[in-house]
């Protein structure tokens, strides 16, 4: 368990600090289950964090909100992983990159540690302009990571990827 935690933290650090070398190491090895589990766990963490902040904020916690936080949000995280994988495959098709579904899913799952952060910031953003600005900055960083995945994992043309990501922004 300690080894997996250390590996997880190393992956997060490498994705943030040195995305070029991190994304170049991603290969297709037939193990999509780990990516789906990672997205589910990040969705669960995000749902629990949002539920906890609602509780701290004085909101009434109902069975529906608990069900949403513990079941719906993690399942939507896995669905979002595959939807974004399709979007990444579309970007790769437009920019002339590789068309490997597994590499797209693994690249996206490696940055899904941002999912709880985005959920938390978006749940707080309606209260304060500064949190909203931070949320926009985090969303911009996620677009940059999508660019890195498209360039270093999917080997698309940089100029075309910048145009497509600019249109998405």
């Amino acid at each position: 368990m300690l080894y997996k935690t250390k590996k997880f933290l190393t992956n997060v650090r490498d994705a943030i600090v040195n995305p070029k070398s991190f994304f170049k190491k991603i290969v297709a090895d037939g193990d999509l289950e780990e990516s789906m589990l990672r997205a589910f766990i990040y969705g669960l963490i995000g749902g629990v964090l949002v539920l906890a902040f609602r509780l701290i904020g004085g909101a009434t916690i109902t069975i529906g909100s608990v069900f949403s936080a513990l079941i719906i949000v993690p399942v939507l995280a896995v669905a979002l992983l595959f939807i974004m994988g399709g979007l990444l495959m579309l970007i790769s098709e437009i920019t002339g990159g590789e068309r490997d579904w597994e590499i797209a899913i693994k690249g996206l799952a490696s940055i899904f540690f941002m999912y709880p952060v985005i959920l938390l910031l978006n749940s707080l953003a309606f209260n304060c302009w500064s949190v909203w600005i931070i949320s926009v900055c985090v969303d911009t960083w996620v677009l940059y990571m999508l660019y890195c995945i498209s360039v270093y994992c999917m080997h698309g043309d940089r100029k075309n990827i910048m145009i497509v990501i600019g249109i998405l922004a």
Side-chain angles (χ1 to χ4, degrees):
M1 183 69 177
L2 185 61
Y3 171 74
K4 288 190 177 197
T5 305
K6 195 173 190 178
K7 182 180 175 188
F8 162 74
L9 293 175
T10 303
N11 286 344
V12 169
R13 184 194 70 219
D14 290 345
I16 292 172
V17 175
N18 195 359
K20 181 178 179 177
S21 67
F22 177 74
F23 289 122
K24 281 186 176 185
K25 291 188 284 186
I26 294 177
V27 295
D29 60 0
D31 189 20
L32 278 178
E33 293 85 16
E34 180 186 347
S35 300
M36 291 188 308
L37 180 65
R38 189 180 293 179
F40 185 84
I41 289 172
Y42 292 145
L44 184 64
I45 291 169
V48 168
L49 284 174
V50 169
L51 190 65
F53 268 88
R54 283 183 185 164
L55 185 62
I56 290 170
T60 304
I61 303 300
T62 63
I63 301 241
S65 64
V66 171
F67 178 77
S68 174
L70 299 179
I71 304 296
I72 301 294
V73 172
V75 170
L76 284 177
V78 175
L80 183 65
L81 176 69
F82 285 103
I83 291 169
M84 291 298 295
L87 178 66
L88 193 59
M89 292 297 293
L90 178 66
I91 291 171
S92 182
E93 182 72 30
I94 291 170
T95 60
E98 290 184 17
R99 290 154 190 90
D100 191 348
W101 176 258
E102 184 180 353
I103 291 176
I105 295 297
K106 284 185 172 193
L108 288 168
S110 65
I111 64 166
F112 246 65
F113 63 88
M114 289 304 297
Y115 190 68
V117 175
I118 291 170
L119 282 176
L120 188 62
L121 285 174
N122 288 336
S123 72
L124 298 174
F126 67 90
N127 288 333
C128 179
W129 278 94
S130 62
V131 175
W132 182 80
I133 292 169
I134 292 169
S135 179
V136 168
C137 291
V138 168
D139 292 341
T140 304
W141 184 80
V142 168
L143 281 174
Y144 170 71
M145 298 310 312
L146 187 63
Y147 165 80
C148 288
I149 293 169
S150 299
V151 170
Y152 303 121
C153 284
M154 306 299 284
H155 306 292
D157 182 41
R158 287 178 188 258
K159 190 170 29 170
N160 292 341
I161 291 172
M162 286 175 38
I163 292 169
V164 172
I165 296 293
I167 290 170
L168 287 176

